[in-house]
Amino acid sequence: MRGSLPVENAGNVPLCLFIEPYGEDFWLEPGEAVTVSPMSDRIDAQFAVSVAAELVSVWLYEDGDPNKVISDSQVIDASGIPLECGHQRHDRRIPGPFWQSGVKPAASPDISA
């Protein structure tokens, strides 16, 4: 797969993986691994990754150009199955400093469902 990013939760607590620009959330249990890629295999994606406590945020850019954000991406599990936004979300909230320091906007989506 061209331009893909493997992500593995090597920690001992759930990890929230945000895929931008839409803030899609995927919750990885300890030991769980996924791959992030553009929907089209014709796009050479480069990735910008931000990491905070229990949270990884990923942006995809076409050819590394920050003005060419890739909005059609996919997250695939270890068996090759595409995952839906909210994967293993349950009643979890945005973790770490994003939640504790008030960075989370007041108008964020309801993730209790």
Side-chain angles (χ1 to χ4, degrees):
M1 191 177 303
R2 216 174 140 177
S4 61
L5 176 70
V7 177
E8 179 181 357
N9 182 357
N12 57 7
V13 296
L15 175 72
C16 181
L17 171 64
F18 267 175
I19 306 300
E20 301 293 359
Y22 301 120
E24 295 176 292
D25 62 315
F26 301 83
W27 292 82
L28 308 182
E29 296 297 331
E32 187 174 5
V34 297
T35 301
V36 180
S37 67
M39 292 294 284
S40 171
D41 60 358
R42 290 184 232 171
I43 296 175
D44 187 17
Q46 291 183 342
F47 302 87
V49 179
S50 299
V51 179
E54 303 166 20
L55 175 70
V56 175
S57 178
V58 176
W59 286 84
L60 291 82
Y61 298 107
E62 186 173 346
D63 299 321
D65 184 341
N67 295 312
K68 295 182 179 178
V69 173
I70 299 170
S71 58
D72 293 329
S73 61
Q74 60 188 351
V75 176
I76 300 170
D77 71 10
S79 62
I81 297 171
L83 301 176
E84 297 289 327
C85 174
H87 172 71
Q88 299 183 137
R89 182 187 303 141
H90 311 295
D91 63 350
R92 297 176 173 149
R93 300 280 181 216
I94 297 171
F98 286 88
W99 177 254
Q100 297 164 359
S101 67
V103 175
K104 181 181 179 206
S108 63
D110 179 13
I111 60 173
S112 63

